[in-house]
Amino acid sequence: MFAKLKDPLLIQAVIAAALSFAHIHDIAEAAGQAGWKAWAYPVSVDLLLVMAWKQMREAGDEKRAPRVWFFLSLAASMGANVATAGVIDLEHPPTALRVLVAGWPVLAFFGGSLLVHSRKAHAPVVVEERQTRAQAPVEEPEEEEVQAPANGAPRAHLVTYAEAALVAGVAPETVRGAANGPRARLAKYKTAEGPRVDLDEVRKVYNLRPVGV
């Protein structure tokens, strides 16, 4: 924790936040908001600023409303900093400043409500889409089977996966994978004893010499 406090960026952020907090308080107090009310104004401005910033990061470029409220609260903070630098006579604040300070609570509440409701309306769509993807059944690739050659047709040298694997020098699972799925390299024959593959085709796929060559 103490290591993080030594970060210059964090120290700079704490200083800027403290000064801005104090300046907004001074403006609110000069506009007639005394006591705890003057301290509530900087809290309101900073909360709206943080809410809008968080909404901007979540929504990205999809929504412009968070940007509006972010820059509005930023303008309120910067305006208070400038006003306390002697630009405005805080002993006799203008009527426009009193009106802005008096109307800020309603404006901040309205902006915060819009940000919260827009976030809730956006969240279920994302959750529902994720649930739909998670619950969608995974379709297994269909296994194409070829009937064994009928009598009179050239007879294929049909062997089991294990026998073909022994000849090719690979694992039986490798032959099974080569005979199934959308990218199957071997034709799978359906027989009464179970699935079979053509040994000559296995030799061609795995670059093996035919018997007798």
Side-chain angles (χ1 to χ4, degrees):
M1 180 177 180
F2 292 102
K4 293 182 179 179
L5 292 177
K6 295 180 180 180
D7 189 343
L9 182 61
L10 181 59
I11 297 176
Q12 183 72 9
V14 172
I15 295 175
L19 291 175
S20 178
F21 197 91
H23 290 161
I24 297 175
H25 166 268
D26 294 343
I27 290 295
E29 191 175 39
Q33 308 295 330
W36 65 269
K37 293 182 290 184
W39 291 108
Y41 275 85
V43 176
S44 175
V45 173
D46 290 345
L47 281 179
L48 184 61
L49 184 68
V50 173
M51 289 176 61
W53 172 252
K54 187 175 181 180
Q55 188 76 1
M56 284 172 55
R57 295 187 61 182
E58 293 178 355
D61 295 333
E62 297 179 2
K63 297 182 179 180
R64 297 182 179 179
R67 296 176 179 270
V68 174
W69 295 108
F70 174 78
F71 286 112
L72 180 63
S73 56
L74 185 64
S77 179
M78 292 184 62
N81 295 337
V82 174
T84 55
V87 177
I88 297 177
D89 184 7
L90 298 182
E91 295 294 334
H92 304 88
T95 304
L97 179 62
R98 293 178 180 271
V99 172
L100 290 175
V101 172
W104 173 259
V106 177
L107 185 64
F109 177 77
F110 178 71
S113 300
L114 290 180
L115 291 175
V116 171
H117 286 292
S118 64
R119 182 181 180 183
K120 290 183 178 180
H122 180 70
V125 177
V126 179
V127 174
E128 183 178 355
E129 182 179 356
R130 292 178 180 175
Q131 291 178 349
T132 303
R133 293 180 180 177
Q135 296 175 357
V138 180
E139 298 182 358
E140 297 182 357
E142 298 182 357
E143 299 182 357
E144 297 182 358
E145 295 184 350
V146 181
Q147 296 291 341
N151 294 334
R155 188 70 181 179
H157 300 283
L158 301 182
V159 294
T160 63
Y161 293 152
E163 293 171 340
L166 185 61
V167 174
V170 295
E173 291 76 10
T174 302
V175 178
R176 182 182 294 107
N180 295 288
R183 298 182 180 180
R185 296 181 295 168
L186 297 173
K188 185 174 66 172
Y189 294 87
K190 182 180 180 181
T191 66
E193 294 79 13
R196 297 290 188 270
V197 292
D198 186 0
L199 185 57
D200 292 337
E201 189 177 1
V202 172
R203 293 180 179 277
K204 291 180 181 179
V205 170
Y206 291 97
N207 297 322
L208 299 177
R209 292 183 178 181
V211 178
V213 178

